[in-house]
Amino acid sequence: MKEQELLKRITFNPDIFSGKPIIRGHRIAVEHILGMLVAGDSIESLLDAYPYLEKEDILACLAYAHRMVAHERVEITV
C-alpha cells in the first residue's frame, strides 16, 4: 500500500482527544500506537490487543510520524 493510501487511515475529530490524529475514527490516537511501538510492543501484539486494527493502521501511524518529522532537525546532546 502506498504512503498516500496509508495516510487516509489517519483522521481527525475535534470530539475525540481534542482533535489529535486518530486511526480511522476509532478512539485510539496515533501517539498511543507510536508510544507502544517505542516501548517495544510488536505490530503483532498491538493487533492482538486491538482486534479492530489492521496492520496497515500501524503502518499509517509510522507514515504519519515520518511525514511530521521529515523536515525537522533534532539535536541529540550527549
Side-chain angles (χ1 to χ4, degrees):
M1 184 173 281
K2 295 186 179 199
E3 186 174 307
Q4 275 306 110
E5 288 300 309
L6 288 173
L7 290 172
K8 289 179 182 177
R9 292 171 169 266
I10 306 301
T11 60
F12 304 86
N13 182 333
D15 296 327
I16 300 175
F17 302 131
S18 301
K20 288 185 175 189
I22 55 177
I23 300 170
R24 294 185 293 124
H26 292 291
R27 296 190 67 81
I28 186 158
V30 169
E31 71 179 275
H32 186 69
I33 294 296
L34 294 172
M36 288 187 290
L37 290 171
V38 168
D41 288 310
S42 67
I43 290 176
E44 292 76 21
S45 68
L46 293 176
L47 296 176
D48 287 342
Y50 301 94
Y52 54 87
L53 291 182
E54 300 170 0
K55 180 179 179 181
E56 289 79 10
D57 296 325
I58 310 299
L59 297 176
C61 291
L62 294 172
Y64 183 84
H66 175 258
R67 282 281 179 97
M68 292 301 293
V69 300
H71 301 289
E72 296 291 324
R73 180 177 172 172
V74 178
E75 299 271 340
I76 309 252
T77 57
V78 188

